[in-house]
Amino acid sequence: MYDHQEIENDEIISLTNTLRWELGIDFHDKIIESIYADATKIAKQSIRVEDAKNSTIFDQKVDSIITSKWFGFPIMFLLLAIVFWITVAGANIPSSWLAALLLDTVHPFLKNIAAQIGMPWWLDGVLIDGAYMAFAWVVSVMLPPMAIFFPLFTLLEDLGYLPRVAFNMDSLFRKAGAHGKQALTMSMGFGCNAAGVVATRVIDSPRERLIAIITNNFSLCNGRWPTQILIATIFIGSLVPPHYAGLVSAAAVVSIAVLGIVFSLLVSWGLSKSILRGEASTFSLELPPYRPPRILQTLYTSLIDRTMLVLWRAIVFAIPAGIVIWLVANIYIGELSLAEYFIDWSNPFALYFGLNGVILLAYIIAIPANEIVIPTILMLTVINSGLTGIGEGAGVMFELDSVADTKRILTAGGWTLLTAVNLMLFSLLHNPCSTTLYTIYKETKSMKWTTISALLPLTLGFIVCFFVTQLWLLFSS
């Protein structure tokens, strides 16, 4: 009897699978469409709304354009590009103001006070050159772009456009075994990966939410944009005539951002076929009507709930990093500092990946905040190369206003075009910052998935840099 029952169960399952494929993969969509069609018909017969016809016709005309196969993606990328451009361009002036205040005014003021009260040099270094400078860099670099990006992103959400983005991207993410709403969390990650991780709460499926969390780091957050822009300007823009330099540099940075989207899809597919195996769940997305944004609510939501929360977490993690940066540059064993020992030890290993020991150390001690990577790289390069008269001393992070002077420092540190390309790739493909890792742990309550979220992109970054380096050396020899 048991065997007979088991055979019947197998036949039922086999018949179910057969019928399922005969019905097609869009069977669920057709059911939902028919339900909504019936509901709309009943609503029209039962409810009368003034100007509803004109409003519906307007929404349908707009949707026929922005969700079409031909115009949907170009419009989406154009709007995101405009948001990024406004964010980067608009943040330059307030960032320079904050830097002038916190770095050029408050820092010397604190140094003078420390000298007047006779504070020991090491305590002065740890607290002012280390902790305070990390705080100042994070605030001046991180706050302005977030204060611009998040309100713009929330305005698009309130306007009703972001659900259309999820609709456009649904087929791609479904093919990758992920959820269509991952497009929204990925877009949020371009502002801040920690905010992107929190945004995955809109995904109901635990499996697909984990995929979205793990892959959100492939969105190039605003903390990594300055690194990309500076390196592209110095090493890639200089390859072409000056009047094309800006365009080529911008294209290089955008290419890295698009590459991040590609890796997000590929890794999502890999996860859905391995440790997070399963089929993409279907979801019903009701496109809301277009409506005027609520400006005050948008500003409150984006500035208080998102910007200030993420900034506070970044500051909490960045201050200890600033202390570590100062200590490794000022604690000596014999004639070399801890930083120089690590750089000399790791250089042979790093060269296999087209990087150097300075870059590795910068990314280790700057885990709390991507915003301090370039200042840390410049400070470590000056120390390791024995350059004098540049910066404000060992352990004091700095940046230069002149791109040419920055290039001279990096070139003195042995940088080449290969180093620059690999840094841009590694900036995209490395472990999330401490703020994002903490947020991942808070959202998943799992050290396992937090560890995977850290190690997977880091491993992928080393693999990609290794193959790029080997192919570069092969074709250049």
Side-chain angles (χ1 to χ4, degrees):
M1 180 67 180
Y2 176 78
D3 292 340
H4 180 68
Q5 185 68 43
E6 187 176 345
I7 292 173
E8 285 186 353
N9 290 341
D10 290 341
E11 290 176 350
I12 291 172
I13 293 173
S14 177
L15 178 61
T16 302
N17 288 331
T18 301
L19 292 174
R20 177 186 174 192
W21 288 110
E22 289 178 356
L23 290 170
I25 60 174
D26 59 347
F27 177 63
H28 176 273
D29 295 340
K30 290 179 179 178
I31 292 178
I32 296 299
E33 286 175 6
S34 66
I35 292 173
Y36 270 87
D38 291 340
T40 302
K41 183 178 180 181
I42 295 170
K44 285 181 178 179
Q45 294 174 348
S46 308
I47 303 172
R48 186 172 181 176
V49 181
E50 293 184 4
D51 296 328
K53 184 176 181 181
N54 292 334
S55 176
T56 301
I57 292 174
F58 172 78
D59 287 356
Q60 289 176 347
K61 285 183 177 179
V62 174
D63 283 343
S64 67
I65 298 174
I66 67 174
T67 62
S68 69
K69 293 182 179 179
W70 294 106
F71 298 107
F73 279 95
I75 291 174
M76 180 182 68
F77 285 121
L78 177 63
L79 280 176
L80 288 177
I82 291 172
V83 169
F84 296 151
W85 179 81
I86 293 174
T87 300
V88 173
N92 285 334
I93 294 177
S95 284
S96 63
W97 286 347
L98 283 172
L101 173 65
L102 299 176
L103 301 173
D104 300 334
T105 304
V106 176
H107 179 250
F109 175 73
L110 293 176
K111 294 288 285 186
N112 288 334
I113 291 178
Q116 290 174 8
I117 65 175
M119 182 180 292
W121 71 272
W122 59 268
L123 187 59
D124 175 312
V126 167
L127 295 181
I128 301 176
D129 294 334
Y132 172 77
M133 286 295 280
F135 158 81
W137 274 112
V138 168
V139 171
S140 61
V141 177
M142 191 175 186
L143 177 58
M146 283 202 307
I148 296 173
F149 178 86
F150 285 145
L152 290 175
F153 195 84
T154 308
L155 283 174
L156 289 177
E157 181 181 14
D158 209 29
L159 182 65
Y161 178 69
L162 290 189
R164 274 80 180 173
V165 172
F167 178 84
N168 288 337
M169 298 289 288
D170 178 50
S171 60
L172 281 177
F173 281 100
R174 188 187 300 182
K175 290 176 182 177
H179 200 285
K181 290 182 181 178
Q182 187 172 323
L184 302 181
T185 66
M186 178 186 69
S187 300
M188 180 65 78
F190 284 112
C192 175
N193 295 132
V197 169
V198 174
T200 61
R201 295 174 183 175
V202 301
I203 300 176
D204 297 325
S205 165
R207 182 189 71 85
E208 290 166 330
R209 188 183 177 211
L210 274 173
I211 292 176
I213 287 174
I214 294 171
T215 58
N216 193 266
N217 189 59
F218 297 121
S219 295
L220 201 63
C221 69
N222 69 60
R224 290 179 278 178
W225 284 95
T227 301
Q228 297 284 340
I229 293 170
L230 178 65
I231 299 303
T233 301
I234 292 175
F235 289 95
I236 297 179
S238 61
L239 297 176
V240 297
H243 51 281
Y244 292 121
L247 181 62
V248 171
S249 301
V253 176
V254 171
S255 298
I256 293 293
V258 172
L259 185 63
I261 297 175
V262 173
F263 273 111
S264 181
L265 290 167
L266 291 175
V267 174
S268 295
W269 179 84
L271 290 171
S272 68
K273 300 298 181 183
S274 54
I275 58 175
L276 289 172
R277 186 180 292 107
E279 296 182 10
S281 62
T282 54
F283 77 103
S284 304
L285 180 63
E286 183 176 2
L287 298 180
Y290 294 100
R291 57 181 180 266
R294 293 160 291 183
I295 304 297
L296 294 179
Q297 183 176 340
T298 294
L299 290 174
Y300 177 84
T301 301
S302 55
L303 294 178
I304 304 301
D305 290 353
R306 291 174 178 169
T307 302
M308 299 311 297
L309 175 63
V310 174
L311 180 64
W312 170 249
R313 287 185 179 179
I315 291 171
V316 169
F317 287 108
I319 288 175
I323 295 173
V324 171
I325 290 171
W326 189 88
L327 289 175
V328 298
N330 286 276
I331 295 178
Y332 280 76
I333 301 176
E335 296 182 354
L336 298 177
S337 66
L338 291 178
E340 291 171 292
Y341 268 111
F342 180 88
I343 292 169
D344 292 344
W345 170 78
S346 61
N347 252 328
F349 167 79
L351 290 176
Y352 282 109
F353 304 94
L355 303 170
N356 57 44
V358 167
I359 295 173
L360 292 187
L361 181 57
Y363 271 99
I364 290 173
I365 57 183
I367 284 177
N370 287 295
E371 289 79 4
I372 61 176
V373 167
I374 287 296
T376 304
I377 285 177
L378 291 176
M379 182 269 293
L380 292 174
T381 301
V382 167
I383 292 175
N384 194 60
S385 303
L387 301 176
T388 57
I390 303 175
E392 298 185 34
V396 183
M397 295 176 286
F398 70 93
E399 277 190 347
L400 299 174
D401 294 331
S402 169
V403 172
D405 290 340
T406 303
K407 183 176 183 178
R408 278 192 285 271
I409 293 176
L410 296 178
T411 304
W415 283 55
T416 63
L417 179 59
L418 175 61
T419 313
V421 170
N422 279 320
L423 176 65
M424 294 179 72
L425 290 170
F426 195 71
S427 174
L428 172 69
L429 305 171
H430 75 283
N431 53 278
C433 66
S434 297
T435 306
T436 303
L437 289 174
Y438 175 73
T439 305
I440 291 173
Y441 178 75
K442 292 276 288 185
E443 293 296 315
T444 63
K445 302 294 191 296
S446 169
M447 280 301 301
K448 171 188 172 183
W449 294 115
T450 304
T451 303
I452 290 174
S453 299
L455 295 182
L456 192 150
L458 183 63
T459 303
L460 189 59
F462 278 119
I463 292 173
V464 170
C465 287
F466 176 80
F467 279 106
V468 167
T469 301
Q470 303 313 310
L471 289 174
W472 189 291
L473 295 176
L474 177 65
F475 287 106
S476 62
S477 60

